[in-house]
Amino acid sequence: MVDASLAGLLTGLSLIAAIGAQNAFLLRQGIRRRHVGLVVGICIGSDAILITAGVCGLGLLLQRAPWLITLLTGVGVAFLTAYGLSSAWRAVRPSGGLHARGPVTDGPVAVARKTLALTWFNPHVYLDTVLLLGSVAAVYGGSGRWWFAGGAVAASTVWFAALGLGARLLAPALSGPRTWRILDLLVAVTMIGIAIRLALG
């Protein structure tokens, strides 16, 4: 089951480690040292709920229609490949660095509301976290899918905690596109590698 956990960890990190509104907001809060623990907790908790929902829903469906495993494997391979290629494209043509601009967010309630909105109102979170991770987890079947889910939740925990707590130290490196270009390249290699492994069975 270590294989499933590792795949979950790598897939989860690959999906999370992309420039987006949620990561950018967390970085800005981390750089400013304002309610970082609150934002990190909401991000981790939300991911755990979404990952579990994806694994549970698809798991119940597969018990009634085992032939869907083949279909879901194809879906997982397609999504992983597309995501990997898009990351490779961003690495080749970076749009720029991340800057902590904008007014300082007020109290914890406002911060919590914005974090929840950036997480739950983002359509990509349902595509990536629920559908994609749920589809890939289903390939491992039985208890393997829960090991995969555990790895994905661990990836969220490590990523968001590191991003929030290490933001101030990362600020100089994140001011230019080079770091994000390297990160996107690593994401591309990981995603396409997992897709190839799934395709080859």
Side-chain angles (χ1 to χ4, degrees):
M1 297 307 168
V2 174
D3 183 58
S5 297
L6 182 60
L9 181 69
L10 293 176
T11 306
L13 283 174
S14 297
L15 290 173
I16 296 169
I19 299 177
Q22 185 189 54
N23 283 340
F25 180 67
L26 175 54
L27 276 171
R28 291 187 182 104
Q29 292 301 116
I31 290 170
R32 294 163 177 166
R33 295 183 182 177
R34 293 183 60 85
H35 312 298
V36 180
L38 175 63
V39 179
V40 170
I42 291 174
C43 291
I44 293 172
S46 296
D47 259 22
I49 292 171
L50 290 164
I51 291 168
T52 302
V55 174
C56 283
L58 287 170
L60 291 174
L61 183 61
L62 287 173
Q63 288 179 5
R64 300 181 180 180
W67 58 267
L68 281 176
I69 293 179
T70 301
L71 176 61
L72 290 175
T73 300
V75 170
V77 169
F79 273 118
L80 288 166
T81 301
Y83 213 103
L85 291 175
S86 68
S87 294
W89 179 255
R90 287 195 304 269
V92 173
R93 298 175 66 93
S95 58
L98 177 67
H99 303 280
R101 294 189 293 261
V104 176
T105 308
D106 292 328
V109 175
V111 171
R113 279 202 304 260
K114 187 163 188 179
T115 306
L116 288 168
L118 289 172
T119 302
W120 292 89
F121 293 162
N122 177 9
H124 292 290
V125 75
Y126 299 100
L127 180 65
D128 295 343
T129 310
V130 178
L131 180 59
L132 177 53
L133 287 180
S135 298
V136 178
V139 174
Y140 291 90
S143 63
R145 62 194 175 99
W146 291 111
W147 283 96
F148 181 93
V153 171
S156 295
T157 302
V158 170
W159 174 260
F160 289 127
L163 200 60
L165 300 177
R168 186 171 288 273
L169 296 176
L170 293 171
L174 294 171
S175 62
R178 183 181 179 186
T179 301
W180 290 104
R181 173 179 283 183
I182 294 172
L183 184 60
D184 278 327
L185 183 60
L186 291 174
V187 168
V189 171
T190 300
M191 297 290 272
I192 293 174
I194 294 174
I196 292 173
R197 185 171 183 179
L198 285 176
L200 297 177

